[in-house]
Structure formats: structure tokens, C-alpha cells
Amino acid sequence: MKKFSYILIFLLAFSWSCNDDDFLDREPTNILLDHQVWNDESLILSVISDLYFRIPEYQTVDNWASYADFDEAFASNFGDYWRHKNNEWGYGDWSLWNYDYIRELNLYIQKASSELTDELDPAVKARFVAEGRFLRAVNYFELVKRMGGVPLILEPLSYDFSGDASYLEYPRAKESEVYDFILSELDEIKNDLPNDTEVKSRATQGVVLAMKSRVALYAASIAKYGVNTPSVSLPGGEVGIPASMADGYYTIALDAAEELINNGPYSLYEKKEDLSENFSSLFIDKANNPEVIFVRDFVQSERWDGRANLWTLWNQPWSGAEDLEGGRTNPSLNLVQSFEMLDNTFQTFETMSGGDYVYFDSPIDMFAGRDARLAGTVMLPGSKFKGKDLDIWAGYILADGTIVTGDEFGQRKELPGTDTPRQVVGFDGPIDGREFSAQSGFYVRKFMDTATGSGQRGLKSDRWWVRYRLGEVYLNAAEAAFELGDEDAAAEYLNVLRRRAGFTIDLTAADLSFDRIAHERKVELAFEGHQLWDMKRWRLAHVVWNGEQEPLTDQPWKADEVSTRVFGLWPYKYYEPGSPNNEKYVFKQVVPGQVTGADRFRLGNYYSFINDDIRNNNPQIVKNPNQ
Amino acid sequence: MTKIKLIILLGVVVGFLTSCEWDNYDAPGSMLQGNIVYNGEAINVSYNDVIFELWEPGWQLDIPIDVTVDQDGSYSALLFNGTYKLIIPSAQGPWRNNVNSTTGSDTVLVNLNGDMNLDIEVEPYYMIRNAQFSASGRDVTATFQAEKIITDAGARDIERVNLYIGKTQFVDFRGPVASAEIGGGDIANPSAISMTATVPSLTPTQNYVYARVGLKIAGIEDMVFSSVQKIDL
């Protein structure tokens, strides 16, 4: 009997548990399922946020040392001196092949546009889909800039485990096809996005137009200037765009830029009286900034999870540093001397006059009368940051030409004929080979946060990284108009920016040349990550960075002057008691001691190397030229 | 008992000493060397710039072995025995590749079995002939002839010629202490080109320099050079 009841209980338990299907069918507690994610606006937002964070970039405030790869800046940091000792860039530099990200974007687009999201408001759904396609276009733009034409994969691909993966092999599209794809995507998504200047870290109609002008301009100049480098092309068009397509792309670039300038809600940032301060505030003012279009924003809470903006911490002047960090990015004299005088003329810095030094009461006087953007981009000797005076001077020069200096910040020594030690070098250097000192004679100003505490390791900065702003759109318009032969319009677009920089004499159509356009981009967009791509699309990179150790150019207005090494300009104090020039400042042009190499851009650098592994996996991928 | 311990210990020691030999693959031991030549004469190029590729078919993945050509046109590579395909990529070197009679293309088949000398014959656009260097005081003068080798439809112009003077025997456009340049259009007579450069004072002092002349062909990235010559000042 006892046995019987055991069996009965056992059987009952067995059959009950099987009836209860839900008992086994449990919702996972550690992941969210599709129907949970795609019904909820805030969860979809977190999916797309993750994708926004993964936009690939090269020179940004997150990657300060990349600015020292060319001639814009010196890297004042022990671990980065190699950037000035090397002679050439590897063929694989700037290489990118992130099809994992593209797959995730394609999955995102597929799901966001499927019936999973049907319960959302149609406008909200359309916006989410458009954002996915925007990011995919951004990524293809990043790929085509670096690699040339790449396979256009527009839906998530899956392997069927049949043992033959050859149906997943796609050949490279033509370079022009990738550009055309990006442009058509931008056109199609534009009306699904908001047109709101307050939205800066997500896609808007503004960034679509700004990006369209940039993308079309790149394609146009590759088509136009590709003739200068006939060997940088592939027979299948994966690299190189036919010259006949140039005008079409320039027209698209001009139309998009004009639409944004004339009908868009953005305007140039003109809030401050002081024009230099105005220019530097443009990049750090997060309250109602009318010029900034699209950013990678850093928020307060990110300070604690390691993603904060470290630019200010890394680059703050050593003399006023809030922590034991700073001074890394030192803008080069090559860049500094490119800023014009306010009467539209160019002048290099004259340190000698008739065998004698040129003397200045304050080192800042050397830089007087120049483009206001200079002091907005670069911290000059004799200026202030966060209310503190900079202390940039390299030592005392005695009447006989000997130099008394130190190898510690602000070191004290006795000068000849005195017995009281005095400071013989600035607290910001420059001290040759001393990291964090201003080894070019300058510190960087652009993107530097003026808030107290932004230079502390524990706090860091919450300022944003500006990817697109209206100023660049004006330059895109000017370049496109110039290339299409409308020099009056081009001059006017440049003048808008130049008036904001303090120029009172407008440029006329007769003043315009390609050099002018290229120069204006150099000074307006310094440290905004444009230099490499601009030099590549103009096919000037192998001319300007030709590997020869030439002296610093005295023609800074020319776009094709050789500039392979970083130069510096060091202020010294003059010491000759009794002389009227005692304690006045003089200058010397120097090549920092760490600068031993001369940059050489080989023809094979125009389009980065596609890995052997990639080409082994997909034999349809052809190699880039000249490698 | 101690005897067994000793034998075990001996075995371990012998194992230690010999196992490396056992485990490891042999290092590549066959030397492939030679020059890039035109009619038997080596073509001088800039250092670390010109490469060619060796491919060994039959493996699962295709990854080339890059062989760098030295300044004097020589090369060498330590390889395993095997059959290789030697390819000079089209953008490498100041020359046009010859068609190989065996393969019917510019690929050269290399059957490597032990050390091997192989000169690779190519057709340069120009050769620098009879380069003579002389010094008077600190002026170094070079005279040479630029002989145009390719004169058919593929002929190319001279973009410029340069005299480079360096402190070390690595002499080209990278960091010469003195140099001179004549643009291609300014060359009156290609078979009598003369150039002079003045050597500045050198630190640390040295009473000799190395010099050579280079010729840049329009539309070709790599220059062709004369051989490097040491000059006493």
C-alpha cells in the first residue's frame, strides 16, 4: 500500500509539472528580449546611444597625440617623441575595416524598421530608423576616406554553415559609388530627423546638410585633383573618381551648404566682445550655442566611468596646472605663423633685424596685430589661461650671446656678475626634451575648458568634441563655389568668417585662389581633425610631407610648401645691466631637439593597406595601389 | 636506490639538453640573394623603399614575404627550400618589369634548393652613367650622364636630378647635410650634367662625406641613383 501511494504521488507530480509549461518558459533576467527593447522608446534610445558612441574617428580630443602626427603640433610627452623621429607612416596607418559595427547597424536598422516597433508613434519610429542609417552613412564615410571603395553591405549577413562561405564575399564598390551611397542616404533620411539646434549629440537635419556638403566636397576634390597623382587609382575604380564627376559633386556640396547657411536655424557664434575669447568659447560653450551642429558630448556623470574629456587635463599649462599633468600638445610654429596680419598680409616672425635681436617689452607683442583666431587656438607666451599668467621663456641671453637656462621648471641660477640666484627659465619651459613643457614655445588653447577643476584627474572636463559646426560649412561653401568659378560668392563666404576673426578689409574675388581657400581651412579648422583628410583629397600630402628636411617656409600662404618638421619659437630674456634692452624679450626660431625625422607621405599612404587576412578571407578584395 | 635516482636525474638532464632540438622546427637556411639589374648592372635605389614579394603557393593563407632592396640594388633573404613566385609590385622601383619567358608574365619562378644567386633583370626608365665626384675645399661637384633607357611609348621625362651629400653612407632625400637640385626642364644636355653643393661645417667634425646623385622620373615615386661614393674633404 505504501509503495502504491509513493508511485501515485510520483506520477501526479510528474504530470502536473509537465502541464505547467510556463514553469520552464522563463523570461531571462540578464538580457532584454527583442519585444521588450523595441517597444520602449527609452530602451531603443540606449541601443542607438551605444552605436553613437562607437563612431570611429582619428584626431579628436580623446586622442591628443594624433595631432602631433603631422606638422600641426609637437607632442611634449616622453612616450610620444617617436612621432617626430620617424620618417614615414606605415601603409596600414589609418586603416579601418569595422564590418562588425556595420553588422550591428544593419541589425539595428532591420529591427527598428520591422513590425517590432509598430506600436511606436510613426514619427518616432522613422526618426530611430533614420538615425541608424545616419550612423551607417557616417561609418561608410569614415571607411571611404581611409580605404577608398569598400564593399557596401546594407543588410545583416548570416552564414548558413554549408561549408562554403563564398556567397558572403562581396567585391569592393567603386570609390564614387560609396560617396553616392552616402549622399543618397543623407537625402532620404533628412526629413525624418528633427530640425532643432538644441539637439547636438543626435542626428538632425542640420548635421545631415553639413555632412552632405563635406562628403560631396571630398568626392569632388578627389575627382578634380586625382589627375595630379595618376598612379593613385585602380582600374576598377575602387580608388579614384573620374574628373568628369567633379563639377557634379561640387554643386551638391554648394547646394547643401547654402541650404544650411540660408535656411537653417544655425548662426555663427558671436557672443563675446573679445574676438579671440569668442573663438575659443565657441568650442566650450554648451549653453545655446548657435554654431555647433553635431558633437560627441561628455556629461557630468561620465566623469566617473572613465569616459570623460581629458583634453584639458592633458594640455593645461604646467605653470597653472591643477594636477601633475599638462602641457602635452604644443602647437607648431608652422601653424602659428600661418595666421595672417589683420591687414590681410602674411608675415613670418622676424627675430633679428640688422644683426641685432628684435626686442619686445612683453612676449605677447611679437604676436600683435594678427588674426584673432590665433590667440583663440594657441596659448601664446605672455597671455593668460584661467586667469593665471603663462610663464613661457627659455632662459637669459647675455650680451655676448651665451644662454643661461635650466633643466627644471622655473629653475634658479646665478647670472654672471651677480651672487643672488634668480629664475632663469619659465615655469612652462620651454625646456628641450622636458615633457609637459611648451617645447615649441606654445600651448594649445582650442577646446581647453576654463572651468575650475577641469584639469584635475578626479574631475576632468565635461565639454564636448565638436564634429560639425557652421564655420566649416561656410568653408565648404567657399571651396565649392570657388571650384565652380563663382569667386564672388566664395569671397563672401570667407569674409563672413574673417570678419568674426577681426579682419576689416574684405577679400575680393581677385584675391581668391586655391591657396587662399586651403589656408583659411588650415587656420579656422586647426585641431579639429581635418588636416589629414584635406591633404589627402587635394592630393597635396605627398608634396607637403615629402620627407626632405627643409627649413621652415617663409611663404605660409602657399598650400604646397614643404612642411615635414615641427618648428618652435622660443622667447628669451635679454640680460645686459645698464642697457635699455635689459630684461626685454627676444625670440629664437628652433627645431626642438626631439624632432629628428622628416615626415614622408608615400603614394601608398593615400589609401590605407587592406590586411592580408581580409584579402585571404575574401579574395575578391583588391589591394590598394602603390603598396 | 641511489643508483635509480641517479639514472632518473641523468635522464632528465639529457632530456633538458636535447629536447629543444627535438621540438623546434629548423630555421630557414637557404639564402636567396642577388641584385636588381639592367644588362647585368645593378640599379641603385633609396634605402628601405623598394621591395618585392615572394609568394609560396600551396598554403592555406596567402601572405607574401617582403624583401627589401638595398641602396646598391642588392637583396638577400633567408628562406626555406621551396618554389616561390617572385613578384615586383608595379609601383615599386624606377623601372618597368620584364616579361618572364617561363611564366609569360612579370612573375619569376624561383626554385630554391640550397643557396642561390639570382639577378632580376628589369628595364629602368633611366640609368645614371659615369658619375664622377670631386671636392675642392668644401664644394662637392658631381658630373654624370642620364641615359634614357625606355624610349618607346612608355617613355617618361626627368622631373629633377639631385645631388645628395650625407654624413653616413645612407644618402638620399632623407636628411642630407647638403644637396643641389636641377629641374627636369633646366637640364640642357642630359649627357653632361654637373651639380655642386657646399658642405656646411659638421658636428661632430668629420673630414669625409658620402655623396650620390639621384634622378626623379616624372610620375614614378622611387628615384634611381648612382652608387654612393665616399669623398675626403
Side-chain angles (χ1 to χ4, degrees):
Chain A
M1 188 61 206
K2 208 174 182 184
K3 209 182 203 177
F4 179 72
S5 55
Y6 274 137
I7 290 171
L8 197 69
I9 290 168
F10 186 72
L11 280 176
L12 278 175
F14 212 35
S15 48
W16 269 335
S17 63
C18 281
N19 272 346
D20 190 7
D21 280 347
D22 293 342
F23 171 75
L24 288 173
D25 193 13
R26 293 209 175 183
E27 299 262 296
T29 53
N30 57 345
I31 56 164
L32 291 165
L33 297 176
D34 272 356
H35 69 87
Q36 293 168 316
V37 173
W38 297 98
N39 273 329
D40 185 336
E41 252 183 72
S42 58
L43 283 176
I44 305 176
L45 183 60
S46 34
V47 176
I48 194 77
S49 304
D50 170 58
L51 296 169
Y52 270 111
F53 279 132
R54 289 159 59 188
I55 295 177
E57 286 179 285
Y58 171 46
Q59 290 180 318
T60 71
V61 291
D62 273 342
N63 187 9
W64 70 270
S66 59
Y67 289 108
D69 285 344
F70 309 100
D71 61 346
E72 241 175 19
F74 178 86
S76 190
N77 181 34
F78 280 129
D80 288 289
Y81 289 150
W82 61 271
R83 292 172 198 275
H84 306 288
K85 298 181 194 288
N86 63 341
N87 283 316
E88 52 208 15
W89 295 279
Y91 288 139
D93 290 7
W94 320 304
S95 170
L96 181 71
W97 204 262
N98 57 347
Y99 278 89
D100 50 344
Y101 181 49
I102 289 181
R103 180 180 162 76
E104 283 184 52
L105 286 167
N106 282 330
L107 277 171
Y108 170 87
I109 295 164
Q110 193 184 53
K111 287 185 176 168
S113 42
S114 72
E115 70 285 349
L116 284 167
T117 52
D118 278 351
E119 281 169 38
L120 296 181
D121 179 349
V124 173
K125 172 172 176 164
R127 183 183 178 189
F128 278 130
V129 175
E131 285 186 294
R133 292 172 69 180
F134 168 75
L135 288 175
R136 188 172 62 183
V138 166
N139 193 64
Y140 274 114
F141 183 38
E142 203 62 32
L143 278 166
V144 74
K145 281 193 295 188
R146 300 169 188 233
M147 317 304 289
V150 291
L152 280 173
I153 308 296
L154 305 180
E155 49 191 39
L157 303 177
S158 302
Y159 179 45
D160 59 7
F161 295 97
S162 64
D164 176 20
S166 58
Y167 72 98
L168 293 172
E169 291 169 0
Y170 286 75
R172 296 174 66 182
K174 288 182 180 174
E175 189 170 18
S176 61
E177 285 170 353
V178 179
Y179 278 107
D180 290 342
F181 166 75
I182 299 166
L183 293 171
S184 75
E185 284 286 284
L186 292 176
D187 279 339
E188 283 176 28
I189 61 174
K190 184 178 155 227
N191 290 327
D192 292 338
L193 293 169
N195 191 16
D196 182 355
T197 55
E198 287 300 298
V199 179
K200 299 219 192 277
S201 47
R202 295 176 66 182
T204 56
Q205 297 194 8
V207 65
V208 164
L209 286 172
M211 181 170 160
K212 207 175 145 192
S213 78
R214 191 193 284 181
V215 170
L217 192 66
Y218 278 31
S221 35
I222 290 168
K224 176 161 188 202
Y225 295 102
V227 293
N228 297 337
T229 51
S231 59
V232 183
S233 64
L234 286 175
E238 293 90 352
V239 164
I241 299 177
S244 57
M245 298 173 82
D247 280 0
Y249 284 126
Y250 278 127
T251 311
I252 296 173
L254 183 61
D255 290 349
E258 283 186 334
E259 188 183 338
L260 186 60
I261 292 168
N262 298 330
N263 307 328
Y266 300 91
S267 60
L268 290 186
Y269 182 94
E270 285 172 295
K271 287 194 192 172
K272 304 263 167 91
E273 273 305 296
D274 181 319
L275 295 176
S276 295
E277 200 195 332
N278 182 65
F279 189 67
S280 56
S281 299
L282 145 60
F283 299 95
I284 53 172
D285 185 350
K286 284 170 73 166
N288 295 321
N289 191 318
E291 175 164 353
V292 169
I293 299 173
F294 183 54
V295 300
R296 191 289 189 217
D297 203 355
F298 294 86
V299 292
Q300 207 80 6
S301 58
E302 277 184 292
R303 288 176 169 182
W304 310 112
D305 65 11
R307 283 186 301 188
N309 181 344
L310 300 169
W311 180 256
T312 308
L313 175 71
W314 281 328
N315 296 315
Q316 59 190 327
W318 187 259
S319 60
E322 293 171 329
D323 214 322
L324 290 173
E325 294 275 3
R328 284 178 168 85
T329 311
N330 301 164
S332 66
L333 176 58
N334 315 36
L335 174 68
V336 170
Q337 72 165 5
S338 300
F339 288 85
E340 281 160 82
M341 307 300 289
L342 286 171
D343 59 0
N344 295 357
T345 60
F346 286 88
Q347 266 181 36
T348 53
F349 293 102
E350 299 306 325
T351 57
M352 305 292 280
S353 139
D356 195 8
Y357 297 110
V358 184
Y359 299 92
F360 297 92
D361 291 328
S362 160
I364 194 81
D365 297 342
M366 180 61 143
F367 309 93
R370 288 196 182 241
D371 190 334
R373 288 172 293 190
L374 172 58
T377 308
V378 175
M379 287 185 209
L380 301 164
S383 65
K384 285 173 189 283
F385 181 66
K386 290 190 186 179
K388 288 181 187 152
D389 287 317
L390 299 192
D391 194 26
I392 301 178
W393 55 286
Y396 274 104
I397 285 190
L398 310 184
D400 63 0
T402 28
I403 291 172
V404 181
T405 182
D407 46 19
E408 285 299 323
F409 293 107
Q411 198 172 13
R412 300 172 83 81
K413 277 186 186 168
E414 289 166 15
L415 289 175
T418 65
D419 46 12
T420 42
R422 65 163 89 189
Q423 189 189 338
V424 295
V425 63
F427 279 97
D428 288 314
I431 301 166
D432 207 26
R434 176 77 202 218
E435 65 175 348
F436 310 153
S437 78
Q439 291 188 59
S440 69
F442 308 102
Y443 282 137
V444 69
R445 177 78 182 79
K446 206 179 245 187
F447 287 111
M448 291 292 285
D449 188 357
T450 49
T452 309
S454 56
Q456 286 180 24
R457 284 176 187 154
L459 287 172
K460 301 162 195 156
S461 168
D462 63 353
R463 299 295 103 176
W464 53 30
W465 158 246
V466 179
R467 288 167 170 153
Y468 284 90
R469 64 182 175 97
L470 193 64
E472 184 213 337
V473 178
Y474 273 97
L475 290 168
N476 295 349
E479 185 177 341
F482 172 77
E483 297 286 3
L484 290 169
D486 188 353
E487 276 144 11
D488 288 308
E492 184 47 34
Y493 288 127
L494 291 189
N495 285 330
V496 173
L497 291 177
R498 292 168 63 85
R499 277 177 220 131
R500 179 172 68 164
F503 291 95
T504 48
I505 312 163
D506 279 351
L507 294 178
T508 61
D511 295 326
L512 278 209
S513 62
F514 172 77
D515 287 338
R516 263 283 170 203
I517 306 272
H519 168 266
E520 206 64 40
R521 285 186 80 88
K522 182 176 188 178
V523 295
E524 174 81 25
L525 301 176
F527 299 110
E528 292 179 52
H530 292 266
Q531 191 185 23
L532 172 65
W533 317 121
D534 279 349
M535 298 308 268
K536 273 171 57 153
R537 68 189 174 89
W538 291 326
R539 297 293 190 255
L540 282 176
H542 72 291
V543 178
V544 171
W545 301 315
N546 67 354
E548 297 187 22
Q549 302 214 345
E550 303 247 336
L552 182 64
T553 176
D554 53 2
Q555 297 176 300
W557 60 88
K558 283 184 72 181
D560 56 356
E561 281 293 289
V562 174
S563 178
T564 55
R565 293 182 296 165
V566 172
F567 289 83
L569 186 67
W570 286 4
Y572 286 88
K573 282 186 187 176
Y574 186 72
Y575 182 74
E576 189 184 4
S579 151
N581 291 324
N582 192 28
E583 292 285 327
K584 284 192 175 179
Y585 287 89
V586 299
F587 285 85
K588 274 196 169 188
Q589 194 200 100
V590 295
V591 179
Q594 303 298 329
V595 179
T596 53
D599 291 333
R600 175 158 169 251
F601 194 96
R602 296 169 290 172
L603 290 176
N605 286 121
Y606 271 108
Y607 291 92
S608 298
F609 184 66
I610 301 176
N611 242 331
D612 289 318
D613 293 342
I614 296 165
R615 285 181 293 123
N616 272 319
N617 289 337
N618 179 359
Q620 298 205 42
I621 301 285
V622 294
K623 208 174 157 181
N624 273 331
N626 306 311
Q627 294 170 347
Chain B
M1 194 64 198
T2 42
K3 209 175 179 185
I4 293 172
K5 265 189 187 166
L6 198 73
I7 289 169
I8 291 173
L9 193 70
L10 202 73
V12 167
V13 168
V14 169
F16 253 119
L17 293 177
T18 55
S19 57
C20 279
E21 193 93 358
W22 250 50
D23 276 359
N24 283 343
Y25 292 102
D26 289 335
S30 300
M31 179 74 93
L32 174 69
Q33 57 187 349
N35 293 299
I36 310 277
V37 296
Y38 171 64
N39 288 346
E41 192 177 338
I43 300 170
N44 287 257
V45 293
S46 48
Y47 69 90
N48 269 356
D49 266 344
V50 180
I51 59 141
F52 62 81
E53 295 172 347
L54 290 172
W55 299 79
E56 188 175 15
W59 296 94
Q60 194 173 13
L61 299 176
D62 288 333
I63 293 177
I65 301 166
D66 287 353
V67 182
T68 307
V69 180
D70 207 352
Q71 281 199 120
D72 57 2
S74 69
Y75 71 89
S76 63
L78 204 52
L79 303 163
F80 293 110
N81 288 338
T83 304
Y84 294 89
K85 286 182 174 177
L86 188 160
I87 292 170
I88 306 181
S90 57
Q92 294 295 332
W95 55 64
R96 222 163 47 175
N97 295 335
N98 280 351
V99 174
N100 184 282
S101 52
T102 326
T103 58
S105 67
D106 57 1
T107 304
V108 181
L109 287 179
V110 181
N111 281 307
L112 193 66
N113 187 14
D115 291 354
M116 181 171 170
N117 272 311
L118 177 71
D119 283 351
I120 305 164
E121 189 74 30
V122 294
E123 198 179 8
Y125 290 91
Y126 286 86
M127 285 292 272
I128 289 176
R129 304 286 194 194
N130 302 328
Q132 307 278 343
F133 298 90
S134 60
S136 77
R138 298 195 77 81
D139 290 345
V140 173
T141 301
T143 57
F144 64 97
Q145 299 163 359
E147 187 191 337
K148 196 170 192 171
I149 308 285
I150 297 179
T151 50
D152 60 14
R156 288 177 181 269
D157 292 332
I158 302 176
E159 188 176 311
R160 55 185 160 83
V161 291
N162 294 74
L163 165 64
Y164 296 114
I165 297 167
K167 282 162 80 171
T168 66
Q169 51 185 314
F170 293 101
V171 194
D172 58 28
F173 44 87
R174 281 164 284 199
V177 290
S179 64
E181 176 172 322
I182 303 178
D186 301 329
I187 299 172
N189 179 7
S191 44
I193 304 174
S194 173
M195 306 172 86
T196 304
T198 308
V199 183
S201 59
L202 301 175
T203 344
T205 317
Q206 68 182 42
N207 57 1
Y208 56 87
V209 289
Y210 295 89
R212 65 171 174 167
V213 288
L215 187 154
K216 172 86 170 67
I217 303 146
I220 301 286
E221 192 173 24
D222 294 314
M223 297 170 77
V224 62
F225 288 88
S226 71
S227 55
V228 179
Q229 190 168 330
K230 184 176 175 183
I231 297 164
D232 291 315
L233 294 175

